[in-house]
Amino acid sequence: MSVIITITNQKGGVGKTTTASALMDGLRQRGARILGVDLDPQGSLGFCLGLDIENCATVYDVLKGSRPIREVINPSECGDVLPSNILLSSAELEFNRPGREFLLKNCLAEVAGDYDFIIIDTPPALNVLTVNAYVAADGLVIPMAPEILSLLGVAQIRETIDTVRRCYNSRLRVLGILLNKYNQRFTLNREVLDMAEQIAKQLDTKVFQSRIRSGVAVAEAPAHGESVLSYAPDSKVARDFRLLLNEITREYGSYTALPR
């Protein structure tokens, strides 16, 4: 069965999609079978991995039951992808029947045996799509930028996590908080790290030791349909993500070996 990891933060611009594509590609390089699921109506994950998201079936078709999931999954250089586009923005109004929190979990159950890891990219909101991602997940990774508003977004996630654990998915774990765009030379970055560690304690988790530094390769990689690990494998950002992969895979006892 697949290990399902959801990348989440209700604040935008914190590196969720970059993190999701890097985890997909890094795990694929280690020999794992990978599926990426884009639950953001902006469709960033599929777009960044080179898919034509405006002219293909998407996760929206799967969730509403009009297409089987295996017909909608697309291959990419970083692993298989269940793409998204703007049609998914109607989910909050359209998916209103009882049990709507389990739509994604039930769909993924059909392909869980086909993959070792499923990585879910979520929208910058705490809505029915995010709840579906939490209900389906084994673990959460919470990226944040070293700024106060990003920190506030992390703090506000706690109530949603508690509700999902209590009502839908008691096994849900927060694997850790990930600092993106981090520069330890800046005073604000260090102060935010201290506050993030306090929030991590409240979530019964940790701040990952791996901190992702800024780099031009992060902005350039999507234009080439690649993750930063494939586009610039020797960059400092790629090295940081490989160290993060070591921390995450250590939780599951497999796919842990990769040079720094």
Side-chain angles (χ1 to χ4, degrees), residues 3-260:
V3 172
I4 302 178
I5 298 175
T6 290
I7 315 300
T8 182
N9 190 327
Q10 69 167 355
K11 177 78 169 58
V14 299
K16 291 191 295 292
T17 300
T18 299
T19 300
S21 63
L23 292 184
M24 287 177 61
D25 200 13
L27 287 164
R28 178 196 62 82
Q29 291 176 16
R30 298 178 186 211
R33 299 169 299 165
I34 301 300
L35 174 65
V37 178
D38 194 348
L39 276 193
D40 188 345
Q42 296 178 80
S44 298
L45 182 62
F47 177 80
C48 290
L49 296 181
L51 302 186
D52 182 5
I53 62 172
E54 299 305 326
N55 295 292
C56 67
T58 69
V59 66
Y60 170 74
D61 300 292
V62 176
L63 293 176
K64 72 177 185 177
S66 63
R67 295 286 293 272
I69 188 170
R70 285 191 172 88
E71 287 186 8
V72 178
I73 290 172
N74 284 261
S76 81
E77 294 297 323
C78 296
D80 288 349
V81 182
L82 185 58
S84 173
N85 62 26
I86 195 63
L87 293 175
L88 192 59
S89 61
S90 67
E92 194 71 34
L93 295 176
E94 188 168 351
F95 301 144
N96 55 14
R97 61 185 183 271
R100 66 179 189 162
E101 297 86 0
F102 295 92
L103 285 172
L104 181 64
K105 180 179 180 179
N106 293 339
C107 291
L108 292 180
E110 298 180 30
V111 296
D114 299 343
Y115 299 99
D116 300 302
F117 286 88
I118 298 175
I119 308 297
I120 304 175
D121 191 18
T122 57
L126 295 177
N127 57 18
V128 66
L129 296 172
T130 305
V131 170
N132 263 263
Y134 289 11
V135 171
D138 299 298
L140 304 179
V141 172
I142 306 176
M144 59 169 287
E147 56 188 41
I148 298 302
L149 290 179
S150 181
L151 191 69
L152 179 61
V154 174
Q156 292 172 338
I157 287 174
R158 180 181 179 181
E159 183 177 347
T160 303
I161 293 173
D162 288 344
T163 299
V164 169
R165 281 174 172 161
R166 184 172 62 253
C167 300
Y168 309 115
N169 180 7
S170 60
R171 75 182 190 284
L172 182 64
R173 298 172 52 215
V174 181
L175 300 178
I177 296 172
L178 174 66
L179 283 172
N180 274 326
K181 308 175 186 178
Y182 185 76
N183 189 330
Q184 63 179 355
R185 293 176 296 176
F186 295 160
T187 301
L188 177 61
N189 284 209
R190 297 195 300 270
E191 291 175 346
V192 169
L193 171 58
D194 291 339
M195 290 184 279
E197 288 175 341
Q198 295 174 28
I199 293 175
K201 291 180 181 177
Q202 297 172 14
L203 294 172
D204 192 27
T205 189
K206 63 187 177 184
V207 177
F208 287 112
Q209 288 296 313
S210 307
R211 281 132 207 179
I212 312 302
R213 291 167 285 181
S214 298
V216 66
V218 172
E220 293 175 345
H224 297 267
E226 298 181 78
S227 85
V228 68
L229 267 70
S230 292
Y231 175 72
D234 297 324
S235 66
K236 60 185 179 182
V237 178
R239 292 196 296 270
D240 294 341
F241 272 120
R242 284 194 289 268
L243 291 174
L244 173 67
L245 275 162
N246 290 341
E247 289 193 67
I248 292 175
T249 55
R250 200 175 294 129
E251 298 280 343
Y252 301 104
S254 60
Y255 302 100
T256 56
L258 193 71
R260 296 189 176 188

